[in-house]
Amino acid sequence: MATLDYDKALYYTIWQQWDDLLVIMVRTKDDFLAKKINNFLCAFQSEKNTKKIIQQHENLLHYLDHAMEI
């Protein structure tokens, strides 16, 4: 798996570049990464409960951290 996807996803997440993060979600070959990005973006767009948004954000960051260690 290309670590470039993980690096870009981390960068776009930290700097809140949601359009670019969406492009990574569509183009990546890592289905699990795409699902984590999708869950976060959906929560960010439509969720009213801030705790759920933060939880999805943390889930994405934890996955990126784990994937980059491999």
Side-chain angles (χ1 to χ4, degrees):
M1 193 60 53
T3 58
L4 187 58
D5 286 347
Y6 304 127
D7 289 335
K8 286 183 178 181
L10 181 61
Y11 178 83
Y12 297 148
T13 302
I14 290 172
W15 292 103
Q16 301 178 3
Q17 296 176 346
W18 308 140
D19 293 338
D20 295 324
L21 190 60
L22 182 65
V23 170
I24 294 294
M25 182 187 81
V26 172
R27 291 185 179 172
T28 188
K29 295 187 187 303
D30 183 348
D31 293 332
F32 204 62
L33 174 60
K35 184 66 174 175
K36 292 288 186 181
I37 293 171
N38 184 41
N39 289 344
F40 168 66
L41 291 177
C42 287
F44 185 80
Q45 182 67 28
S46 61
E47 188 63 50
K48 292 183 180 4
N49 187 345
T50 306
K51 288 183 182 181
K52 290 184 181 180
I53 298 170
I54 292 171
Q55 180 183 14
Q56 291 301 325
H57 186 260
E58 288 177 355
N59 287 343
L60 174 58
L61 291 176
H62 285 294
Y63 178 71
L64 290 170
D65 184 44
H66 171 73
M68 290 169 62
E69 287 179 0
I70 295 176

